[in-house]
Amino acid sequence: MSVVSVTYAAERRTGGLLALVPGTGGLLTVAALGIALLLFLIIKARLQPFVALLAVSIAVGLGAGLSVTELFGTVQKSGAVSLVEAGMGGTLGHIAVIVGLGTMLGSVLEVSGGAEALSGRLLALFGERREPLAMGVTGVVFGIPVFFDVGIFVLAPIVYAAARRSGKSILLYALPLLAGLSMTHAFLPPHPGPVAAAGLLHVDLGRVILMGAAAGLPAVLAAWAYAAWIGRRVFVPVPEEAKRAEEAKRAEEAKRAEEAKRAEEAKRAATAPRGPAPEKPVALGTLLAVIGTPLLLILLATFSSVAFAPSTGRSVAEFFGHPFVALTIALLLAYWLLGLRRGWSRASLEAVSTASLKPVGNILLVVGAGGVFGAVLKGSGVAQALADAFAGAGLPVIVLAWLIAVALRVAQGSATVAIVTTAGIVAPLLVDTGASQAHLALVVVAVSAGSVFASHVNDGGFWMVSTYFGIPERETLKSWTVLESVLSVAGFAVAAILSVVV
């Protein structure tokens, strides 16, 4: 059942906190206490965000006068609708498949050596003087199918090598890469954040891709400009551990090359048949084809639904452009082009795909709990009370969406929590407004932009960047925290301008 179909008459409720503070005032009080409780549980109590969101959803529902039956249904099969089940199922039914397929696709690209092939080709293309720009473009392209943290793990050695060759600050190379990875992770499907926001606000993913790219590309250009500025003013050397690891890796590679050379000479001397040829690097065209296929199919379906009348051709385009089908095609293409054709076994592909799904369980549970929170807000009448209150503030919804996401992000650190909570709050503001799908997609972009603002000490990404690139905390605040803020503000600004004309 769709979350939007679950509604209850809030004005007839008198239970919970409404017994003390009736009407709209009571509902707004419940909302304020719910947000405060959520922040307390995550920040102070250090409760896992999934558990915190679920607990707050139940507390808000009971505080707003919902009955146990309305929240959880009944043991007997009846017509009673469970808000918890409707919110969780209605959200994950759309998101889980997309995130799962996208995660497996990114994993195959990662282990196939696609990142090294892409960065190597771009570094050669841009030249030594423009290596920071090459790192940024690598982050954007490789960041489309892989998670932010995976991109750091895979591409960091390339950053180390570039910084060592030049003798310049590692910030000059790391920050453009991080900006590219962060932009795609925040603004573009199939990443969980924009997919979750699109699902909660019922927006076509094709339009989210278009608007996310329209706002994200100028934003990442602004972030690259800041990265170049701060990278020339703050010197951070390559971490010593990275130097030692790189030297050890080179020594090991040299040793293996020498051993392989001797073995080959021995084979030739004995006129023995040669073994299988070493695995060739991934061709750049192959890599771009795998990454671009789902995006093009989804965009083609969106274009067809707008430009053409209902027909067989349009139905075919919409079928292949559905995110489920498009990502499945891309994954199978990756299996063949990057795996089987290059000598991988089916068992290896299965192992890589299965291993990649383990980390997404937490993400999906948090997103599902956010769906429950949104369903409870709507079903209890709290969402409508918030919509009426925000409407009186006189601010456009897109501005409110960004401000709420920024506040939640800065307060508790998790971008995912900020996105799903904000989407649940602003969804009622968009009901019956007549907003186009393009405008709704820009609201998704605003929420996503707000969710990356000012990454600081309460965000795991802050410490990942600091420790992995050996950047002291003070310099991380100057560089990474400000970089994320530039990305957020610039992306929101472009989205707000576009919202005036679409």
Side-chain angles (χ1 to χ4, degrees):
M1 175 174 292
S2 174
V3 176
V4 294
S5 65
V6 182
T7 56
Y8 297 97
E11 62 273 15
R12 295 197 298 269
R13 303 187 186 285
T14 57
L17 190 62
L18 299 185
L20 300 176
V21 186
T24 301
L27 292 172
L28 292 176
T29 302
V30 169
L33 291 176
I35 297 297
L37 177 61
L38 177 65
L39 295 177
F40 172 79
L41 291 177
I42 294 176
I43 298 170
K44 296 295 184 182
R46 306 298 297 175
L47 200 60
Q48 214 281 336
F50 163 66
V51 180
L53 273 166
L54 200 58
V56 169
S57 299
I58 295 170
V60 167
L62 295 175
L66 287 175
S67 68
V68 174
T69 299
E70 289 170 329
L71 276 173
F72 303 111
T74 59
V75 177
Q76 296 81 13
K77 298 297 181 182
S78 67
V81 177
S82 165
L83 280 170
V84 172
E85 291 181 5
M88 180 72 73
T91 302
L92 292 184
H94 172 75
I95 293 168
V97 177
I98 296 173
V99 172
L101 291 170
T103 300
M104 288 189 286
L105 175 61
S107 181
V108 173
L109 286 166
E110 172 201 347
V111 299
S112 69
E116 291 81 359
L118 174 64
S119 59
R121 184 67 179 270
L122 290 175
L123 287 170
L125 179 65
F126 283 92
E128 186 175 341
R129 290 184 57 191
R130 297 184 179 86
E131 280 186 340
L133 179 59
M135 296 307 307
V137 175
T138 300
V140 171
V141 177
F142 195 66
I144 293 173
V146 303
F147 286 162
F148 176 79
D149 52 353
V150 174
I152 291 179
F153 299 152
V154 173
L155 295 169
I158 300 169
V159 172
Y160 300 152
R164 288 197 66 192
R165 281 196 304 270
S166 69
K168 298 177 181 178
S169 173
I170 195 172
L171 295 180
L172 202 60
Y173 303 90
L175 292 182
L177 171 69
L178 293 170
L181 292 171
S182 183
M183 186 279 285
T184 54
H185 189 76
F187 288 75
L188 296 178
H191 289 287
V195 171
L200 291 168
L201 298 180
H202 309 286
V203 188
D204 172 57
L205 275 189
R207 288 179 173 83
V208 174
I209 292 172
L210 286 173
M211 296 305 168
L217 292 177
V220 82
L221 290 176
W224 286 346
Y226 177 75
W229 183 84
I230 195 69
R232 289 193 295 266
R233 286 163 176 79
V234 177
F235 180 80
V236 177
V238 177
E240 288 299 322
E241 312 86 69
K243 291 181 182 179
R244 289 193 291 269
E246 188 180 346
E247 290 169 358
K249 182 179 179 182
R250 285 204 300 268
E252 181 67 21
E253 289 175 348
K255 181 180 177 182
R256 289 179 180 177
E258 182 64 25
E259 290 175 351
K261 181 179 179 181
R262 290 176 181 174
E264 184 65 24
E265 289 173 352
K267 287 180 181 179
R268 288 177 179 174
T271 65
R274 296 186 182 184
E279 189 176 84
K280 295 181 180 179
V282 180
L284 181 62
T286 301
L287 187 68
L288 295 178
V290 172
I291 295 174
T293 293
L295 299 179
L296 291 175
L297 288 174
I298 293 171
L299 291 174
L300 179 61
T302 300
F303 174 76
S304 298
S305 66
V306 174
F308 302 118
S311 63
T312 302
R314 171 175 157 177
S315 297
V316 170
E318 290 177 344
F319 170 78
F320 285 104
H322 190 283
F324 294 2
V325 178
L327 284 168
T328 299
I329 291 173
L331 181 60
L332 295 176
L333 197 62
Y335 282 164
W336 169 246
L337 294 176
L338 304 179
L340 297 174
R341 201 176 72 167
R342 302 174 70 234
W344 288 29
S345 67
R346 293 181 178 86
S348 298
L349 287 172
E350 180 189 12
V352 168
S353 300
T354 301
S356 71
L357 293 176
K358 293 178 180 178
V360 305
N362 175 62
I363 295 172
L364 292 177
L365 287 174
V366 170
V367 170
V372 173
F373 184 60
V376 169
L377 288 179
K378 184 174 179 63
S380 63
V382 172
Q384 188 57 51
L386 287 170
D388 294 339
F390 285 136
L395 290 174
V397 175
I398 194 170
V399 176
L400 285 170
W402 184 75
L403 290 174
I404 294 170
V406 164
L408 290 171
R409 160 68 163 184
V410 173
Q412 52 80 44
S414 169
T416 304
V417 172
I419 286 175
V420 297
T421 306
T422 303
I425 292 172
V426 302
L429 280 68
L430 299 166
V431 176
D432 299 328
T433 60
S436 65
Q437 281 284 299
H439 187 88
L440 293 176
L442 289 171
V443 175
V444 169
V445 171
V447 172
S448 299
S451 74
V452 297
F453 185 87
S455 168
H456 62 100
V457 294
N458 64 356
D459 175 26
F462 175 91
W463 296 107
M464 184 185 301
V465 169
S466 175
T467 56
Y468 217 77
F469 291 105
I471 310 173
E473 287 82 357
R474 183 177 178 182
E475 281 70 26
T476 307
L477 288 168
K478 286 182 181 179
S479 56
W480 165 248
T481 302
V482 178
L483 182 84
E484 286 283 83
S485 300
V486 170
L487 193 65
S488 173
V489 172
F492 164 69
V494 175
I497 293 170
L498 291 175
S499 70
V500 176
V501 297
V502 300

